[in-house]
Amino acid sequence: MRGANGLSLSIATTAPGLQVYNGAHLPTGAPATSDFPDLAPFAGIALEPQHWPDAMHHAHFPDILLKPGGTYQQITEFSFSTA
């Protein structure tokens, strides 16, 4: 996807899903900090590759249960470029 400014983002992941959070429920008038001077609803976006949240209730979704002693590994690569 390429933005109007020519910046694009590509995401490659071994996860089957992508959770997107747009900050809609951040409080209006939240105290600003030096790290987050413009903290407000819709002030940012979080892109979180993961398994589907409701996967355990759908047999056709990838399995999400990790048994004791098991190992979980997920690889995600975010790549930015400009036109």
Side-chain angles (χ1 to χ4, degrees), residues 5-41:
N5 63 358
L7 183 64
S8 68
L9 167 66
S10 295
I11 303 172
T13 182
T14 58
L18 180 69
Q19 184 77 17
V20 179
Y21 177 68
N22 63 9
H25 300 290
L26 291 173
T28 301
T33 68
S34 60
D35 292 330
F36 303 103
D38 299 321
L39 187 61

Side-chain angles (χ1 to χ4, degrees), residues 1-2 5 18 27-28 36-37 42-43 46 53 57-58 61 74 77:
M1 180 174 182
R2 188 169 305 282
N5 63 358
L18 180 69
T28 301
F36 303 103
F42 303 103
H57 298 114
H58 301 276
F61 284 11
Q74 173 184 311
E77 181 179 287

Side-chain angles (χ1 to χ4, degrees), residues 11 16-22 45-54:
I11 303 172
L18 180 69
Q19 184 77 17
V20 179
Y21 177 68
N22 63 9
I45 189 166
L47 303 171
E48 303 172 3
Q50 63 183 33
H51 282 267
W52 304 114
D54 198 29

